[in-house]
Amino acid sequence: MGSSYYNFTSTGYLNSIGAEPVLFDKAIKSNDFSRFGGRYLLDDLRRGDHLDKIQFPVEFRITDGKYLRDVIELRCVCGFLLSDRIINLFEQNNLTGWMKYDVIVKDKRGNSIPGFHGFIVTGKNPGVLTNPGNTTDFYRPDCWYYGAVCSQRVVDVLKANKISDFSISLLEEIDGKIVFNRILIK
């Protein structure tokens, strides 16, 4: 029996605090459609591309929601900011295929919300389940624009620490199609 792999996304609770990058707003208002004008910021961050062209820390402002959890949703594109708690768990358990980046998170009044980091999946894999045994604990399949895959080790760390802020679905290939079977972490 091979290793199990899972779709890794945040739960997307609508009552959780959501945020968006300030740079993205500035780029839209300026009508700057250039490659590095800011409109591609989240795509680049999510994929770990062009990081040398991005000014860190990236500032995010809270847009909606009322409950601060270990995950702050990025409403304008698939992604999230993670708390110190989750980052520390990932580091302590030597999970691979990811990196953090510095952020400034501000509430609607401009007050800082400390203790969060941006999260980038840096692991890459040609397919969803193609040769996953040689890959990292987190990876992005070449064929997926959004989302990421995580290993059983990640699920075990989340379960052991009762972290339920992620939507985790077991990935299986049935008749040549990838099937998602959601599991609950409580």
Side-chain angles (χ1 to χ4, degrees), residues 5-75:
Y5 289 89
Y6 300 83
N7 183 51
F8 179 81
T9 60
S10 59
T11 55
Y13 293 130
L14 292 179
N15 60 0
S16 293
I17 286 180
E20 62 184 25
V22 172
L23 179 61
F24 189 70
D25 280 350
K26 289 178 184 175
I28 289 173
K29 289 176 185 171
S30 73
N31 289 322
D32 185 350
F33 289 90
S34 69
R35 178 70 188 108
F36 301 110
R39 290 177 179 260
Y40 298 97
L41 171 71
L42 285 180
D43 283 344
D44 288 344
L45 283 173
R46 188 175 37 76
R47 289 190 306 268
D49 294 339
H50 308 294
L51 297 181
D52 59 325
K53 305 288 186 197
I54 297 171
Q55 184 176 350
F56 292 96
V58 176
E59 185 177 337
F60 289 85
R61 101 168 158 268
I62 301 302
T63 57
D64 61 285
K66 58 183 175 179
Y67 297 110
L68 183 62
R69 294 186 163 92
D70 283 315
V71 175
I72 294 178
E73 305 285 335
L74 300 183
R75 300 283 194 231

Side-chain angles (χ1 to χ4, degrees), residues 5-9 46-47 125-129 139-150 169-172 178-180:
Y5 289 89
Y6 300 83
N7 183 51
F8 179 81
T9 60
R46 188 175 37 76
R47 289 190 306 268
N125 202 33
V128 178
L129 298 174
Y139 65 87
R140 287 195 189 285
D142 291 345
C143 59
W144 284 4
Y145 187 70
Y146 294 112
V149 175
C150 71
S169 301
L170 177 64
L171 297 173
E172 298 179 283
I178 301 297
V179 177
F180 294 67

